[in-house]
Every structure is written in structure tokens, then in C-alpha cells.
Amino acid sequence: MATRDLTMGMIFLSQTLTGILGNFSLLSHYLYLYLTGCKFRSTDLVIKHLSVANCLVILSRGVPQTMAALGMKHFLRDIGCKLVFYVHRVGRDVSICSTCLLSISQAITISPRNTRWAELKAKAPKYIGFSVALFWMVNLILNVMVPLHVTENGSDKNMTREVDYGYSYSVISDRFTVYGAVYGALVLLRDIFFVALLLWASSSMVFTLYRHKQQVQYIRGTNVSSRSSPESRATHSILILVCTFVSLCTLSSLFHSCLTVLSNPSVWLVNTSALIAGSFPTVSPYILMSHDSRVHSLCCACTRNTQSPG
């Protein structure tokens, strides 16, 4: 095995293990909160589904990419290739939708009571569960065409362009019909719509936090407590999450476009695209946990119990 392949295999393996550990830690945290009877926030349900979607993305892309880099080329059967790509695409799209919903929910939560969002504050939590279920259902249906462009081998003479991921081939055929063009347009419009909503909600949160800070400084003068509220900490974490998501999503889209346009992309381009695609699902749980005061309280409680005499 070449040193380059071994290095890439170790990088993919590290990313996969780090992402799975982070997302399972986040889900375990919510399980602990449930078992101890702690009160959940309106955004916690979205975060739990985001973690599940992240796990699907990491497992469906990170595991086969690691095995391919370590020398196990094209080990999946045709049905396995189609299933892996389908699960990856559904997980990715649910992750986009969940991140958008998370941002919008937090923007409504921190909005002043004297604004037009006041009526939504009481109603929004009731629709979060329905919205998440709708995201899963729509993306499961919308991505049914993904397996049609995936195959176990690249020997079909009708293929014009193909991308070798090491374990499967993603192909674009000469028989690309009007239905395929319509499907591609729908997927693109959906992504643009959710990213636009994401940016709008994030801008609204930044404006609300800035205006609140100015009002507090005006009322209290210089005697302003440096301790931020739970809402502010949650908002900051979501803003960091959104910035990370938009940056990595833009990079991933650029690399994916290169893979689609080029007739024979290099192994380096394929591996880099896969690494970037798995970056957000890997880092997002750590961003969320680092700003969750309940995680810090749990850690402090565990420390006190450990240090107390038996």
C-alpha cells in the first residue's frame, strides 16, 4: 500500500471516529437530560435530529471512503453502492434543513416581545416536531433518483462522465432526460432556499443581539454584567454553527461542481471533496456542546462527585 493511500485512510478514519464520538456524545447528553427529568428547550429536538443526520452522513461516506483508501477498492455490490449514496444524500439534506430550522427557531426565541414575531413564540415549539418529520419525508422522496446515477462499476458504454470514489462510481449518462434536469433544478432551488433562510435568520439574530446589547448598556451604563444569558450563549453557538456550515457548504459545493464538470477528476480532488463533505457533521456537535451550559453543569457535578470523599 502506498504511503499516500495509508495517510488518506488514517485521515478519513480519524474524521469518522471524531464525528461519531461527537454526535453520540451529544445524543447521550440528551438521553441523560431525559432520564434525569430536565426540561428540554424548543431547539433540542432539532439538534437531536441534526445529530442523527450527521451520523448518517459520516457513516455512509466516511466508512467506505476509509476502506477504499486503505486498499479495499470497490468492495460494495451495486445495491450497496446505491444505498450508501442514497443514505448520504438524505442525511446531508436533512442536515441542511435542520440547521436552517435551528437558526429560525432561535431567531424567534430571542426576538423582542413587542415585534411581529411575538405571536410565533408560543406557536413555534408546537410545529418543530412536524417540521422535522416533514424534512425527513420530503428528502426521502426527493432523493429517490440518486441511486440511478450510482453503479458498482464504470463499464457502461453510455456513460459520458464518471467519478471513481474508490468504492463506487457516480455517473452522468447520455440519456440524461428532461426529468433529470427538472430533478436537478428542484434540488438546487431547495438548497438555495434553505441557505437563504439560514442567512436571513442569522442576520436577524445578530441584529437582535446587537440592539439588546445597546439597550442594556444605555440602561445600566458601565455596570453591565459580563455573564451572558442562556439564550445569548445558545444564539452564539448557533451563529458559529451557521458560519461554519455556510463556509464548508460553499467549499463542498465548489468541489462537487468540479467533480461533476470534469470527465476524469483526480483522486486528490475526490478525497478532498469527501473530507470537506464530512467536516460539518464532524465539528457541529462539538460547537453545540461547547456553548451548552447544561453540559458544563454536568461536568462540574461529575467533578464534585469524583472529588467528594466516599
Side-chain angles (χ1 to χ4, degrees), residues 52-110:
V52 174
N54 287 341
C55 289
L56 292 180
V57 173
I58 294 170
L59 291 174
S60 61
R61 181 57 60 88
V63 173
Q65 203 77 50
T66 300
M67 296 175 69
L70 293 177
M72 290 176 277
K73 301 288 186 180
H74 302 287
F75 57 93
L76 292 174
R77 298 293 183 181
D78 191 64
I79 186 65
C81 294
K82 296 180 185 300
L83 181 62
V84 163
F85 270 77
Y86 178 72
V87 170
H88 176 267
R89 191 57 185 261
V90 171
R92 170 195 174 273
D93 293 346
V94 172
S95 179
I96 293 176
C97 297
S98 299
T99 306
C100 179
L101 180 61
L102 188 63
S103 184
I104 293 175
S105 300
Q106 193 63 28
I108 295 174
T109 300
I110 68 170

Side-chain angles (χ1 to χ4, degrees), residues 12-286:
F12 279 119
L13 180 61
S14 300
Q15 184 187 61
T16 302
L17 292 177
T18 303
I20 292 298
L21 176 62
N23 284 285
F24 271 93
S25 297
L26 187 57
L27 290 173
S28 299
H29 165 62
Y30 284 114
L31 178 61
Y32 174 83
L33 293 179
Y34 172 77
L35 294 176
T36 54
C38 292
K39 184 178 180 181
F40 283 97
R41 298 168 183 166
S42 59
T43 55
D44 287 342
L45 179 62
V46 185
I47 294 176
K48 285 184 282 187
H49 281 269
L50 176 62
S51 297
V52 174
N54 287 341
C55 289
L56 292 180
V57 173
I58 294 170
L59 291 174
S60 61
R61 181 57 60 88
V63 173
Q65 203 77 50
T66 300
M67 296 175 69
L70 293 177
M72 290 176 277
K73 301 288 186 180
H74 302 287
F75 57 93
L76 292 174
R77 298 293 183 181
D78 191 64
I79 186 65
C81 294
K82 296 180 185 300
L83 181 62
V84 163
F85 270 77
Y86 178 72
V87 170
H88 176 267
R89 191 57 185 261
V90 171
R92 170 195 174 273
D93 293 346
V94 172
S95 179
I96 293 176
C97 297
S98 299
T99 306
C100 179
L101 180 61
L102 188 63
S103 184
I104 293 175
S105 300
Q106 193 63 28
I108 295 174
T109 300
I110 68 170
S111 62
R113 296 184 180 275
N114 57 350
T115 63
R116 58 185 178 181
W117 296 107
E119 296 182 2
L120 289 176
K121 281 193 174 186
K123 297 180 180 180
K126 301 177 183 179
Y127 296 104
I128 286 180
F130 171 77
S131 300
V132 172
L134 183 64
F135 290 155
W136 281 104
M137 184 171 59
V138 169
N139 286 302
L140 284 169
I141 296 173
L142 193 59
N143 287 296
V144 293
M145 289 190 65
V146 170
L148 300 179
H149 300 282
V150 180
T151 182
E152 179 185 358
N153 54 66
S155 59
D156 195 329
K157 62 182 180 180
N158 292 317
M159 296 176 188
T160 56
R161 289 189 299 274
E162 62 183 31
V163 180
D164 184 3
Y165 285 91
Y167 55 93
S168 297
Y169 287 89
S170 176
V171 301
I172 298 178
S173 173
D174 285 333
R175 297 172 293 185
F176 189 70
T177 63
V178 176
Y179 297 103
V182 172
Y183 165 77
L186 286 174
V187 171
L188 180 61
L189 287 175
R190 180 206 55 198
D191 289 351
I192 293 175
F193 173 74
F194 278 107
V195 171
L197 278 179
L198 193 71
L199 294 175
W200 171 78
S202 302
S203 301
S204 175
M205 283 191 287
V206 170
F207 176 74
T208 300
L209 287 176
Y210 175 77
R211 186 171 59 181
H212 176 71
K213 182 179 179 181
Q214 294 295 106
Q215 291 174 347
V216 171
Q217 288 179 343
Y218 176 76
I219 294 173
R220 298 185 181 179
T222 56
N223 297 322
V224 180
S225 174
S226 60
R227 187 177 180 180
S228 60
S229 64
E231 291 79 8
S232 296
R233 287 193 296 269
T235 304
H236 289 148
S237 70
I238 294 174
L239 287 174
I240 295 173
L241 191 74
V242 168
C243 293
T244 305
F245 172 79
V246 172
S247 301
L248 293 175
C249 184
T250 303
L251 277 176
S252 180
S253 297
L254 290 174
F255 275 89
H256 183 71
S257 299
C258 293
L259 292 178
T260 304
V261 173
L262 297 177
S263 59
N264 188 23
S266 63
V267 176
W268 176 86
L269 187 62
V270 173
N271 288 336
T272 304
S273 178
L275 280 173
I276 295 175
S279 296
F280 177 75
T282 299
V283 302
S284 59
Y286 297 100

